[in-house]
Amino acid sequence: MDDLLKDFLAESAENLAQLDHNVVELERDPSNASLLNSIFRAIHTIKGACGFLGLSRLETVSHTAESVLEQLRSGAVKADPDVISDILRAVDLIKFILAELESHQVEPPGDDSLLIALLEQWLSPVAVPGITATGDSASAGAEPNPLAASLPVPQIEQLAPINASLRVNITLLDSLMNLAGELVLNRNQLLEMAAREDDSPFAMPVQQLSRITAELQSAIMKTRMQPVGSAWGKLPRIVRDIARETGKKIELDMKGAATEMDRQLVQALQDPLTHMVRNSADHGIEPVELRRALGKPPVGRIVLNAYHEGGHVIVEITDDGKGIDVAEVRRVAIERGVARREVVDAMSDCQALRLVFEPGFSTAASVTHLSGRGVGMDVVRSNIEHVGGAVDITSVRDGGCTVRIRLPLTLAIISSLIVSARGELFAFPQASVLELIRLSADEISHFDILHNVRLFRLRNELVPVIDLANALSLPEQEPSAVTTLVICQAGAARFGIIVDEVVDTQEIVVKPIGRLTRSVRCYAGCTILGDGRVVMIIDPAALAMRSGTETSTVASIAADIPESPALKQDSLLLFGVGGDAVQAVPLSLVARLEEIPFERIESAGESHVVQYRGSLLPLIPAGPSVTFTSGRTNSVIVFNEGSSSFGIAVSDIRDIVEDVLNLELLAVRPGILGTAVIAGAATEVLDVAYYMKQVRGGQIS
């Protein structure tokens, strides 16, 4: 492809990325001059490059659309729905021509006289059928414009310049990512070899190599990151078209568009988002008259929100429509053969709601080109689970519906927890792990069992328990005296997995599993450890489903176990600050616990920092007795809030305890909330918010 044409397509893709959204926004806010100017500039830029590239068809269409936009800018025509629809038709044709240019390097042939005539009607000072000279729509009884009805709709199969084109070739980025993955595997091998020898001369070079590898990996991963909002460009247009076709009034509110995630995941998210927003607009939002009768605002609202949470990206689609009738879901599931009657009757409401993700399920009364064929929500689930995510749904009758998608940040390299079960090693994605609990054999034998579900009471909450070895049918061995319960989260589900011990934490490279093991749903992939062993990566959500253990099941039987009358307890992390002094912080505020060697700590003025995951992490001593000394490794508690992070250096990590956090004495110095009795001893409680404000204000010294 000619370099000039390639640059033109890349620039046009950037200009068109938000054009649909901006045009629809202009219809909602016709007085927004900056929005109109932005649309005009995008079309004008495309038209300006057409002359020297010899793109006569594209130049004619964009020039006419630009002329209509100039009429809007001058106030001669108002931005009512009719003129907006005609501008969107021109945008569709521009996208079609650009897509053909990307595929064949030449303009496609075609006759655009109908569209040109439709656009030129807005340039004439004489009124045309259904349109006044000032651009106002005629009365409701006016006949629709016959030109618009006869226009062909361009079929845009794939618009590569907009959806899949980057300044740096994607193949090169993928190749760099694969090479970084292989480098991480070799780094892990060298670290393991160096750890076998005391005072190895290679220890320091290997540590330096490890640091550089981590920074290189982080930098390459950032090149693959894209804002999730790039998958949202067509959604305002979809909602607008459905609203006009069904006579509804719908407002789409999109939040968190700048939230970044892996490019491959952004692409995988496009189809699920389209299906869910379409369902919310068509199934969820009620007609205007019905909303008024129910006491709701006449304009229905769909909220699309994306944000980071615990190493994942959460995408929520919420509407304030009629919600999902669980009784109707049960009836349709039985009628369509999705599940047997006795199975459906035994389900809780939460489980019954998940039937909407089954293939062939639909509650639509009739089939239209919008919905009703039973294809959609099953595609959502399969696409999300294929990339290691999870999807859940909640609904309130006449109160709306929320679909929550949980996705990993990246698919290539992840932080993992290496565990053992009956002599075999497995990896758990750390983003799915909430906490670890050491259990004796006596505690395991006293688990509650109800309706064939093993239950563990975690801070007065019932958590279903899975034995990893039994779930995977591993060979029997002598049980160990002490085991570990790994508390995991998958979507809204929380459950525990019993393993023998936690071996290590590692950054691992995710490799696809072979064809013979692909049917075993509890594996998310595999990896190679530093000693060459191949280890399977456990998918906790799939393991829970395979074992028949879900939070919704426990919720339905929880009423059979009486609640403990004790006060609500919190998980508290106890740490030393020099000598016998101990402080505490709620475990829910802690992001990670790290061991950082003195050699990695650098000075920045009067502050101390460490290069951590691609950025500088401020280090703050927890007390005057905590110092950074050569040859010593410091225990560091890492705290995150949004994009801000900092580490509290402590003398040692003491314990995690369950206790009631009740401050009995107020703080006597900054950085301390107060004093509470924790584990039978008076303990100062750290004020995390104080340090976070200091970090954000650049006042840490």
Side-chain angles (χ1 to χ4, degrees):
M1 183 187 296
D2 182 78
D3 288 340
L4 283 176
L5 180 59
K6 187 181 297 183
D7 291 341
F8 167 71
L9 290 172
E11 185 179 15
S12 300
E14 294 173 0
N15 288 326
L16 287 174
Q18 291 295 320
L19 201 54
D20 274 344
H21 175 257
N22 289 346
V23 174
V24 174
E25 281 295 310
L26 181 64
E27 182 181 28
R28 294 173 52 189
D29 186 8
S31 62
N32 192 329
S34 63
L35 200 59
L36 180 56
N37 289 335
S38 175
I39 298 168
F40 182 85
R41 283 194 300 271
I43 299 295
H44 178 76
T45 302
I46 292 173
K47 186 205 74 169
C50 291
F52 64 86
L53 289 173
L55 305 175
S56 57
R57 183 183 180 189
L58 183 59
E59 183 179 20
T60 302
V61 174
S62 55
H63 174 72
T64 312
E66 180 190 31
S67 299
V68 176
L69 290 168
E70 182 59 41
Q71 291 288 93
L72 292 175
R73 294 173 75 190
S74 67
V77 175
K78 293 182 180 178
D80 67 8
D82 290 325
V83 69
I84 292 297
S85 295
D86 293 343
I87 292 172
L88 286 172
R89 291 186 180 100
V91 171
D92 283 345
L93 183 56
I94 291 171
K95 288 181 178 179
F96 170 74
I97 296 173
L98 288 173
E100 291 296 305
L101 278 170
E102 170 74 10
S103 301
H104 308 294
Q105 287 78 60
V106 294
E107 264 190 328
D111 181 10
D112 305 321
S113 56
L114 283 176
L115 176 61
I116 299 300
L118 189 65
L119 291 171
E120 286 179 344
Q121 293 179 82
W122 297 102
L123 308 179
S124 171
V126 181
V128 297
I131 304 171
T132 66
T134 59
D136 291 326
S137 296
S139 63
E143 291 293 325
N145 196 324
L147 286 176
S150 58
L151 268 177
V153 179
Q155 299 298 316
I156 307 173
E157 294 182 2
Q158 182 181 6
L159 193 56
I162 291 177
N163 294 328
S165 179
L166 295 174
R167 295 290 185 176
V168 178
N169 191 283
I170 292 175
T171 304
L172 176 60
L173 290 179
D174 290 340
S175 176
L176 286 173
M177 197 65 189
N178 291 333
L179 290 173
E182 296 301 324
L183 186 60
V184 168
L185 290 177
N186 282 279
R187 184 273 309 268
N188 292 346
Q189 290 176 343
L190 290 173
L191 285 173
E192 187 157 327
M193 292 169 62
R196 293 174 189 158
E197 300 181 21
D198 294 332
D199 300 324
S200 169
F202 300 106
M204 185 60 69
V206 168
Q207 286 292 338
Q208 291 285 352
L209 176 64
S210 175
R211 180 180 62 82
I212 295 170
T213 301
E215 292 176 3
L216 178 64
Q217 166 208 331
S218 176
I220 293 176
M221 286 174 65
K222 286 181 179 178
T223 65
R224 292 171 53 96
M225 301 299 256
Q226 282 187 322
V228 69
S230 61
W232 295 359
K234 61 183 178 181
L235 297 181
R237 173 77 179 272
I238 290 174
V239 171
R240 175 192 181 273
D241 290 346
I242 291 177
R244 282 177 63 86
E245 184 164 342
T246 59
K248 299 176 181 179
K249 293 185 178 180
I250 307 174
E251 179 184 78
L252 178 63
D253 185 10
M254 300 188 294
K255 303 176 181 177
T259 304
E260 289 190 331
M261 61 192 301
D262 192 281
R263 174 189 62 82
Q264 186 176 347
L265 291 166
V266 172
Q267 291 180 339
L269 192 60
Q270 289 184 353
D271 283 345
L273 280 180
T274 300
H275 285 306
M276 288 183 292
V277 170
R278 191 185 295 272
N279 275 353
S280 291
D282 188 37
H283 287 306
I285 302 298
E286 309 95 332
V288 174
E289 298 78 11
L290 180 56
R291 290 183 65 86
R292 285 199 176 104
L294 293 171
K296 294 184 177 182
V299 179
R301 194 160 184 262
I302 301 173
V303 179
L304 185 59
N305 189 21
Y307 55 93
H308 286 130
E309 180 183 272
H312 284 76
V313 173
I314 307 298
V315 180
E316 293 179 338
I317 302 93
T318 303
D319 65 70
D320 64 349
K322 63 184 178 182
I324 299 177
D325 186 344
V326 179
E328 179 70 5
V329 170
R330 295 178 189 272
R331 183 188 65 79
V332 172
I334 295 170
E335 286 183 358
R336 296 203 173 196
V338 174
R340 298 192 308 274
R341 179 181 296 276
E342 58 272 19
V343 175
V344 173
D345 290 342
M347 288 181 174
S348 65
D349 285 350
C350 292
Q351 290 173 311
L353 272 178
R354 293 176 186 169
L355 290 171
V356 302
F357 293 110
E358 295 300 322
F361 184 92
S362 176
T363 58
S366 61
V367 174
T368 69
H369 74 282
L370 294 177
S371 59
R373 295 176 176 85
V375 177
M377 295 305 284
D378 61 316
V379 175
V380 169
R381 183 174 66 178
S382 61
N383 284 14
I384 296 303
E385 291 181 350
H386 180 70
V387 293
V391 59
D392 202 7
I393 186 168
T394 57
S395 178
V396 177
R397 182 71 183 276
D398 291 328
C401 180
T402 298
V403 179
R404 190 173 192 264
I405 299 174
R406 190 167 185 257
L407 291 165
L409 281 175
T410 182
L411 296 175
I413 301 173
I414 63 173
S415 298
S416 72
L417 196 70
I418 308 298
V419 304
S420 70
R422 295 183 184 170
E424 298 288 341
L425 294 183
F426 299 92
F428 280 81
Q430 277 195 19
S432 299
V433 177
L434 296 180
E435 57 185 296
L436 304 174
I437 300 174
R438 297 284 284 176
L439 299 175
S440 65
D442 183 63
E443 287 175 309
I444 293 178
S445 64
H446 285 86
F447 278 158
D448 294 318
I449 298 178
L450 196 61
H451 299 267
N452 296 321
V453 177
R454 300 174 76 185
L455 303 173
F456 176 73
R457 190 181 288 277
L458 177 65
R459 295 183 291 279
N460 296 323
E461 177 187 352
L462 292 173
V463 177
V465 173
I466 307 163
D467 189 312
L468 181 62
N470 292 338
L472 300 179
S473 302
L474 299 180
E476 291 287 343
Q477 284 188 358
E478 189 71 24
S480 58
V482 179
T483 58
T484 301
L485 183 64
V486 183
I487 305 296
C488 296
Q489 179 100 18
R494 181 177 295 187
F495 48 89
I497 301 175
I498 297 176
V499 300
D500 289 344
E501 64 176 328
V502 175
V503 178
D504 197 5
T505 59
Q506 283 190 16
E507 297 279 331
I508 61 172
V509 180
V510 179
K511 299 287 188 181
I513 56 178
R515 179 174 53 84
L516 296 177
T517 56
R518 199 166 295 160
S519 59
V520 184
R521 298 289 185 182
C522 58
Y523 297 132
C526 62
T527 190
I528 303 172
L529 297 185
D531 58 4
R533 281 184 291 180
V534 176
V535 168
M536 303 304 293
I537 303 171
I538 297 294
D539 181 347
L543 182 68
M545 291 184 65
R546 182 185 180 194
S547 305
T549 303
E550 296 176 304
T551 297
S552 57
T553 304
V554 178
S556 65
I557 62 177
D560 295 341
I561 298 182
E563 286 292 329
S564 170
L567 294 173
K568 182 181 184 301
Q569 295 185 327
D570 296 292
S571 290
L572 302 169
L573 176 69
L574 300 181
F575 54 89
V577 292
D580 296 329
V582 176
Q583 292 182 2
V585 66
L587 188 61
S588 59
L589 302 179
V590 176
R592 292 176 67 88
L593 300 177
E594 299 284 358
E595 294 288 330
I596 298 180
F598 172 80
E599 291 74 17
R600 288 184 55 194
I601 300 174
E602 305 174 45
S603 296
E606 297 182 357
S607 304
H608 292 89
V609 297
V610 64
Q611 297 184 36
Y612 183 75
R613 300 193 169 192
S615 61
L616 291 177
L617 181 76
L619 293 183
I620 308 162
S625 299
V626 179
T627 58
F628 302 110
T629 307
S630 177
R632 185 175 181 271
T633 297
N634 286 89
S635 299
V636 175
I637 307 172
V638 180
F639 299 91
N640 293 337
E641 185 177 342
S643 59
S644 300
S645 302
F646 68 95
I648 296 288
V650 302
S651 59
D652 61 294
I653 302 296
R654 297 290 177 89
D655 200 358
I656 296 176
V657 299
E658 303 292 328
D659 210 334
V660 177
L661 183 56
N662 181 25
L663 296 178
E664 299 188 14
L665 294 177
L666 297 179
V668 295
R669 69 178 190 276
I672 298 297
L673 281 175
T675 304
V677 177
I678 299 174
T683 307
E684 290 184 325
V685 179
L686 194 72
D687 185 357
V688 179
Y690 167 81
Y691 289 107
M692 185 61 72
K693 290 178 182 177
Q694 298 294 309
V695 169
R696 287 177 173 172
Q699 300 172 6
I700 289 297
S701 61

